[in-house]
Amino acid sequence: MDPRLVRRVQAVIQEFGYRPNFQARALARGRSHTIGLIVSEITGGNPFFSEIILYFERAAVAEGYEVLVSFADTETNPDHIAQCAARMQERQVEGIAVLTFGMEEQLAHCAIDVPIVYSGADHDLPGVRNVRINYLPGYRDAVRHLVEFGHERIGYLSGRLSWSSLRTRYDALRKAMKLNGVSLDKDLVAECDHTWSGGAMGMNLLLNTPKPPTAVMCCNDVAAVGALKTLAARGLQAGKDIALIGFDDLTICQFTQPALTTIQFAPRELAGLSFQALLEEIQSSAKKTNFEYKTRFILRESTCAPRN
Amino acid sequence: MDPRLVRRVQAVIQEFGYRPNFQARALARGRSHTIGLIVSEITGGNPFFSEIILYFERAAVAEGYEVLVSFADTETNPDHIAQCAARMQERQVEGIAVLTFGMEEQLAHCAIDVPIVYSGADHDLPGVRNVRINYLPGYRDAVRHLVEFGHERIGYLSGRLSWSSLRTRYDALRKAMKLNGVSLDKDLVAECDHTWSGGAMGMNLLLNTPKPPTAVMCCNDVAAVGALKTLAARGLQAGKDIALIGFDDLTICQFTQPALTTIQFAPRELAGLSFQALLEEIQSSAKKTNFEYKTRFILRESTCAPRN
DNA sequence: TTGTAGGCGTTATCAG
DNA sequence: CTGATAACGCCTACAA
């Protein structure tokens, strides 16, 4: 094209402040260039999903997409996630990424006629795209670390096991323990809430058992920080009196006292993988990469040998 | 209408899986029912903005709007916020809410032809809607609390003062101190970063001064938690050896050791006020409510009388 | 009441 | 290669 003409057009665009109307374009071309992102609503400010949104949006914008975000209230309203998906479809999203890591059961039962990608869904359905989460490496190394310290009574601070997300982690932990020649005593499993206060309560329960655990693994970092609070209140110290391991590797792990040993579950990578998978699905490209995220053990200061 | 007919229509809708096309509707009616939300990108997972997005979205959906979220990278790319606003306008948003609390300077210089609402913008421009933040009550009560304990050497752990957001808090603190008959010694101001690690570094700087402060106020909770880490590393304890006060009232404040005394800056209310203001602006209703958020002092365990 | 034409802003197609 | 025109799906206004 004539560069002179291009300039003149640019000038006129500036002059009149012309902006293309995306809705009209979308209507005409049959493509909205919009995708939906569904994350879990988490009360009490868990920073995990904040980063998921940030990195997902970054990836999407880089590819020319805009993102419609919904926080699915899987806790108090089982239908909510389906409503979110419905709203998104009315907006003609070209696909939906679900990053609730096992809270998406309700979605399986309703008709969605755009590409959809799950992340950490517990069963690999044949027709459904799913970013697999390999929980094992992180749990395996974490348990091995504890076993090498000589721990035999390892406890688990879990969220509600009726939620598949938490059930999956529980199962992965049991498998990891079996691999390391130890077993998970049911009395040492505290089923609370995967929140700050849930962790605090759960640790109290575990410490009140007749023979408390010498090491405790937590279903996420937020619960682990709650557990730290309980320990402090009882005059105990993680990394000295009891071993404590979290899950997620939130930034705060580096700033707790002691710094929290944990299993990495990086939002940036998870968001990236999920978007890539969705993009493949939308472009219905031939290759179907088998996306998998591997958890990783992160050693810091909150573990120690068993006390007495 | 004939309820029988309504039913039949509903049935057919079910039958054929009809969904209205929002883009077409928007085009025809000239209303997109979409609004934009711009928040700050914060590195290292600050949970504050996560809640802002959650509650803003809830409020918007309740009024029939969908939300386009952007994280403005005010740190490394000053133009980014303007690009975000431009993208939103191409999507025909009916208005834009900016919740960056003083990081929005770049936006003032570019033409935006939809209603826009700021939050905590430091100067009240005449034509611009702004949810005012009243920093004083929180700071006033916090400083009074310290003065009643007998503190005279009060330090401030700040983010970079070249950013108006942090400058505003700094000014509010100085005013609050003056009201309480004390003054802020410039040697006791550590200008670092409003992040976990920034707080840790800043506290180190303050403790290395010839005459360290006996109490330290922080520009946010995240920095305060970082400061706690430094204190622990030096064998000091907040609430015993030194008084520490945060800002934001994140949930984590209740789970630090000791629980963090802070100034409340509630994301839920801030998001709600901002949405209400934007709604008034969009509906160009006659009444222009003067929305203001008042900070509030929250007493917990991290303060104490000055040591020796 | 029921039905139909015209237009929203853009793209794509098809003559010229 | 340029320029006119139909179509995208829905809404509104007007006519029957």
Side-chain angles (χ1 to χ4, degrees):
Chain A
M1 285 219 183
D2 184 355
R4 264 176 29 85
L5 180 63
V6 171
R7 288 200 167 208
R8 257 181 60 199
V9 172
Q10 303 265 12
V12 174
I13 286 175
Q14 284 293 323
E15 173 91 30
F16 289 81
Y18 168 81
R19 287 183 197 285
N21 181 330
F22 246 89
Q23 330 212 84
R25 170 177 296 190
L27 190 61
R29 303 220 306 182
R31 293 202 54 185
S32 66
H33 279 274
T34 305
I35 54 188
L37 170 62
I38 298 180
V39 298
S40 295
E41 168 180 357
I42 26 59
T43 46
N46 185 326
F48 181 76
F49 287 106
S50 159
E51 294 194 46
I52 290 276
I53 300 170
L54 168 62
Y55 292 118
F56 193 93
E57 197 239 6
R58 283 272 186 284
V61 168
E63 294 287 333
Y65 287 89
E66 210 69 30
V67 179
L68 244 35
V69 182
S70 278
F71 294 81
D73 177 9
T74 47
E75 197 151 357
T76 65
N77 184 353
D79 295 333
H80 187 233
I81 193 169
Q83 293 165 14
C84 292
R87 284 206 330 269
M88 287 175 170
Q89 285 186 90
E90 291 187 349
R91 298 276 169 162
Q92 311 301 118
V93 294
E94 295 183 21
I96 299 178
V98 185
L99 278 91
T100 54
F101 306 104
M103 307 276 190
E104 58 274 325
E105 282 132 83
Q106 293 300 320
L107 221 44
H109 305 302
C110 66
I112 298 193
D113 46 9
V114 295
I116 185 162
V117 170
Y118 294 91
S119 200
D122 48 349
H123 35 219
D124 288 294
L125 293 159
V128 177
R129 199 60 176 278
N130 184 21
V131 174
R132 295 203 58 215
I133 309 292
N134 192 342
Y135 287 97
L136 205 57
Y139 276 117
R140 192 209 326 115
D141 294 353
V143 173
R144 183 196 299 156
H145 171 72
L146 292 178
V147 168
E148 283 174 355
F149 260 136
H151 288 280
E152 290 171 351
R153 297 186 61 73
I154 299 175
Y156 183 51
L157 214 162
S158 176
R160 296 188 222 146
L161 289 171
S162 54
W163 294 358
S164 75
S165 160
L166 294 159
R167 168 63 64 175
T168 307
R169 293 183 188 191
Y170 176 67
D171 292 340
L173 173 60
R174 284 203 304 183
K175 194 166 171 187
M177 289 183 74
K178 191 174 278 179
L179 283 174
N180 282 282
V182 286
S183 66
L184 184 54
D185 186 343
K186 285 214 168 174
D187 296 341
L188 297 186
V189 176
E191 186 179 344
C192 285
D193 228 347
H194 59 301
T195 61
W196 312 87
S197 59
M201 284 173 49
M203 182 54 93
N204 246 325
L205 289 176
L206 290 179
L207 293 178
N208 287 341
T209 52
K211 284 197 70 178
T214 57
V216 174
M217 313 249 326
C218 303
C219 64
N220 69 11
D221 287 338
V222 161
V225 171
L228 279 176
K229 184 75 182 173
T230 295
L231 290 176
R234 288 177 167 237
L236 296 172
Q237 214 179 314
K240 209 173 131 196
D241 305 306
I242 189 171
L244 190 70
I245 297 182
F247 189 99
D248 274 350
D249 193 29
L250 302 181
T251 312
I252 194 184
C253 292
Q254 303 163 45
F255 294 91
T256 54
Q257 186 56 25
L260 192 62
T261 291
T262 193
I263 294 169
Q264 191 170 60
F265 195 59
R268 181 177 205 147
E269 292 174 50
L270 288 162
L273 290 175
S274 199
F275 176 72
Q276 289 304 328
L278 187 56
L279 203 58
E280 271 191 12
E281 208 67 14
I282 290 174
Q283 298 171 342
S284 57
S285 81
K287 71 166 177 195
K288 300 270 185 193
T289 316
N290 188 15
F291 291 103
E292 179 182 281
Y293 178 81
K294 283 189 179 62
T295 57
R296 198 160 72 88
F297 179 58
I298 306 283
L299 180 61
R300 293 208 179 88
E301 311 164 353
S302 63
T303 56
C304 56
R307 188 93 172 191
N308 63 338
Chain B
M1 285 218 184
D2 184 356
R4 264 177 27 87
L5 179 64
V6 171
R7 289 200 166 207
R8 257 181 58 198
V9 172
Q10 303 265 11
V12 174
I13 286 175
Q14 284 294 323
E15 173 92 29
F16 289 81
Y18 169 81
R19 287 182 196 286
N21 181 329
F22 244 91
Q23 330 213 83
R25 170 177 297 189
L27 191 59
R29 303 221 306 182
R31 293 201 53 184
S32 66
H33 279 275
T34 305
I35 53 188
L37 170 63
I38 297 180
V39 298
S40 295
E41 168 180 356
I42 27 59
T43 46
N46 185 325
F48 181 77
F49 287 105
S50 158
E51 294 194 45
I52 291 275
I53 300 170
L54 168 62
Y55 292 118
F56 193 92
E57 197 240 8
R58 284 272 186 283
V61 168
E63 294 286 334
Y65 287 89
E66 210 69 32
V67 180
L68 245 34
V69 182
S70 278
F71 295 80
D73 177 9
T74 47
E75 197 151 356
T76 64
N77 184 355
D79 295 332
H80 187 233
I81 193 169
Q83 293 165 14
C84 292
R87 284 207 330 269
M88 287 175 171
Q89 285 187 91
E90 292 188 348
R91 298 274 169 163
Q92 312 301 118
V93 293
E94 295 182 21
I96 299 178
V98 185
L99 278 91
T100 54
F101 306 104
M103 308 275 191
E104 58 274 326
E105 282 132 87
Q106 293 300 321
L107 221 43
H109 305 302
C110 65
I112 297 195
D113 46 10
V114 295
I116 185 161
V117 170
Y118 294 91
S119 199
D122 48 349
H123 36 216
D124 288 293
L125 293 159
V128 176
R129 198 62 176 278
N130 184 20
V131 174
R132 295 203 57 218
I133 310 291
N134 191 342
Y135 287 97
L136 204 57
Y139 276 116
R140 193 210 323 116
D141 294 354
V143 173
R144 182 196 300 156
H145 171 72
L146 292 177
V147 167
E148 283 175 355
F149 259 137
H151 288 280
E152 290 170 352
R153 298 185 61 73
I154 299 175
Y156 183 51
L157 215 162
S158 176
R160 296 188 220 147
L161 289 171
S162 54
W163 294 358
S164 74
S165 160
L166 293 158
R167 168 64 63 176
T168 307
R169 294 184 188 192
Y170 176 68
D171 292 340
L173 172 61
R174 285 203 304 182
K175 194 166 172 187
M177 289 181 76
K178 192 174 277 179
L179 283 174
N180 282 282
V182 285
S183 66
L184 184 53
D185 185 344
K186 285 214 168 176
D187 296 340
L188 297 185
V189 176
E191 186 179 345
C192 284
D193 227 346
H194 60 301
T195 62
W196 311 87
S197 59
M201 283 173 49
M203 182 54 93
N204 246 325
L205 289 176
L206 290 179
L207 293 178
N208 287 341
T209 52
K211 283 196 73 178
T214 57
V216 174
M217 313 248 328
C218 303
C219 64
N220 69 11
D221 287 338
V222 162
V225 171
L228 279 176
K229 184 75 183 174
T230 294
L231 291 176
R234 288 176 167 238
L236 296 172
Q237 214 179 315
K240 211 173 131 197
D241 305 306
I242 190 171
L244 190 70
I245 297 182
F247 189 98
D248 274 350
D249 193 29
L250 303 180
T251 310
I252 194 183
C253 293
Q254 302 164 46
F255 293 91
T256 54
Q257 186 55 25
L260 192 63
T261 291
T262 193
I263 294 169
Q264 192 170 59
F265 195 59
R268 181 178 205 144
E269 291 174 51
L270 288 162
L273 289 175
S274 198
F275 176 73
Q276 289 304 328
L278 187 55
L279 203 58
E280 270 190 13
E281 207 68 14
I282 289 174
Q283 298 171 342
S284 57
S285 80
K287 70 165 179 196
K288 301 268 184 193
T289 315
N290 187 14
F291 291 103
E292 178 182 282
Y293 178 81
K294 282 189 179 62
T295 57
R296 197 161 72 88
F297 179 58
I298 306 284
L299 179 62
R300 294 209 179 88
E301 311 163 354
S302 63
T303 55
C304 56
R307 189 92 171 190
N308 61 338

